[in-house]
Structure formats: C-alpha cells, structure tokens
Amino acid sequence: MALNHVVRGSGRPLLLVHGLGAGWRSWDPVLDELAASREVIAIDLPGFGDTPPLDGEVSVATLTDSVADFVHQQGLDGVSTVGQSMGGRIVLELARRGVGGDTVALDPGGFWSPRELAVFGATLRPSIALVRVLRDRLPALLGSPVGRTLLLAQLSARPWALSGETVLPDVRGLADSPSTGAALDALTKGPTQQGAPAGTAPGRVTIGWGRRDLVTVPRQAARAKELFPDAELHWFERCGHFPQWDAPDEAVRLVLDRTS
C-alpha cells in the first residue's frame, strides 16, 4: 500500500508516525520546528488522513507492516522514527523488528494492565461517539476554552490553554477517519506490546511520557522500560497524552537531541 505523506525541510530524514486522529496533521504543532533542522517525512497510516484503509485485518502488526514497507520502498532504511500514542507503539514495534534507526516514542500504547485497558476502552469509545455526534459543531466548541476543557480533559493537561486550531484536526480525525474504530479494537482487543531485549534495537530508544497522561497512565512507563531495557525515559511535566500539544518546544528538543 502507498501511504500518503508529506515531506518538509532538508537534512537527515526523520519519519513521523501519528496516533488515532488526524493523520500527519497531528504533527502540525511541531512540524515546522522539526523541519527547520531535518527532512521530515510525516505519513498517514492506512485509514487515516488521505491513505485508504487496509483491505484485510487492522492490527498493530498490519499497521506496522505498512510503515515498514514504506520505509523500504522509499529507501529510508536506518531512518530515525518518532511516534505518538498508537504511533509510539508502532515505532517501538519497528525497533523491536530491527527496522529504522533511533526511536522516540511519545506516550506509547500497548503497556496497559487488563484493568487499565478496560478503563481506556470504556472511556475513549464514548468520547469518540460524542465527537461524531458533535462533528459539525466542533470548530465552535473547540474554539472556546470551556468547550476544549469539557471535550479534551482526558487528552490534555491544560486544554483551556490550547488553541482550537491546534486540537481541531485530531478531534475531527477521531470522528472522520474510517479506521478509528478498527484501530481502537486492535489496541483494546489485540495483544500488548512485546519488548526488545537489551542490545537488539537498531539505534537509541527514547520513551517520552506525560506526567498527567490519562490515556496511557504514567505507571505504564515502568512496564515499557522493563520491556525495552535500553530505552531512556523522559518525563514531560504538566503534560497529558499529546506532548506536541502541551509541550511542543520540549518535544522538538527531545526529538532533535535523541535522533541522528
């Protein structure tokens, strides 16, 4: 499958993999800053943005397959990868498979306990159903600090402080993307993330976590570190599930410092 993607900037390539939501536009808050130093390739996963859905099973494995195929087709072997949420899990899976180079995973999925996974599914599914119902009113609702706070309390540590332009693409993507439901099923009903034994990842591994993440809660970081023992853990203070929303400057610095 050909993945829709955008290329910005010049220099050593950097591949960005989004989570549930807007596709490559999820990276809008940090894209220009990253592209000032690197060639940034931001993809739309199958069923998100302008990439059509997969024909067969949607799972973390098949989504990762699509990214691995893209890497090889584009001659990007050894590329540094950055992912957030589901995308964070995908880039860790790439690293586990030996695909790519340095890896930065921001608030990755896949490390829930059974109880945490049940809470995640039970809270996020109604939220997605709600934004679908409110789809036509989202610009107005997200243009208000009160509306952002009511709709995004699970996703951001400070939703009232964000701009509507920052959050609208991802929220609208949750409502519109044809693979949102299937990808959520893959996360909640599929296997949890496997690890990479020490010395097996193709490059440095960095895991960034928001101290106030209510989706992939902070205690999951210890499980991720256990499964990826070579990883360096970075904490984002006063940050929820989207570092590119709540701490964009810090996220840019982390990515540039930990990838080559």
Side-chain angles (χ1 to χ4, degrees), residues 111 207 209 217-229 233 235:
F111 301 100
I207 300 175
W209 225 290
V217 294
R219 60 179 169 267
Q220 294 172 19
R223 299 175 200 141
K225 186 69 171 66
E226 183 177 353
L227 287 170
F228 289 83
L233 185 61
W235 288 104

Side-chain angles (χ1 to χ4, degrees), residues 106-124:
L106 305 175
D107 297 84
F111 301 100
W112 294 279
S113 69
R115 182 178 181 279
E116 291 163 354
L117 192 57
V119 171
F120 166 66
T123 55
L124 194 57

Side-chain angles (χ1 to χ4, degrees), residues 133-142:
V133 170
L134 297 175
R135 195 231 180 265
D136 292 340
R137 299 176 59 192
L138 288 176
L141 289 169
L142 295 175

Side-chain angles (χ1 to χ4, degrees), residues 223-255:
R223 299 175 200 141
K225 186 69 171 66
E226 183 177 353
L227 287 170
F228 289 83
D230 291 336
E232 178 177 306
L233 185 61
H234 175 88
W235 288 104
F236 292 93
E237 306 294 337
R238 298 188 68 198
C239 181
H241 191 59
F242 282 77
Q244 65 265 43
W245 288 3
D246 289 346
D249 293 340
E250 185 179 357
V252 168
R253 289 195 301 271
L254 179 67
V255 168

Side-chain angles (χ1 to χ4, degrees), residues 33-169:
E33 288 79 3
L34 291 172
S37 301
R38 305 286 290 275
E39 180 186 61
V40 177
I41 304 113
I43 63 171
D44 286 337
L45 289 168
F48 295 90
D50 291 324
T51 300
L54 294 169
D55 289 334
E57 178 191 14
V58 176
S59 66
V60 172
T62 58
L63 292 171
T64 304
D65 290 342
S66 72
V67 181
D69 290 344
F70 177 85
V71 167
H72 297 318
Q73 291 163 3
Q74 298 293 318
L76 293 171
D77 298 307
V79 68
S80 292
T81 61
V82 181
Q84 183 263 337
S85 191
M86 181 177 70
R89 181 171 180 183
I90 288 171
V91 298
L92 287 175
E93 176 62 14
L94 290 172
R96 189 189 72 81
R97 297 183 185 187
V99 177
D102 294 332
T103 301
V104 177
L106 305 175
D107 297 84
F111 301 100
W112 294 279
S113 69
R115 182 178 181 279
E116 291 163 354
L117 192 57
V119 171
F120 166 66
T123 55
L124 194 57
R125 289 182 196 280
S127 297
I128 292 172
L130 177 62
V131 298
R132 284 174 173 161
V133 170
L134 297 175
R135 195 231 180 265
D136 292 340
R137 299 176 59 192
L138 288 176
L141 289 169
L142 295 175
S144 158
V146 174
R148 290 194 298 276
T149 301
L150 291 173
L151 287 176
L152 304 178
Q154 187 179 11
L155 301 178
S156 171
R158 294 173 295 147
W160 59 86
L162 302 172
S163 71
E165 291 79 9
T166 293
V167 300
L168 180 60

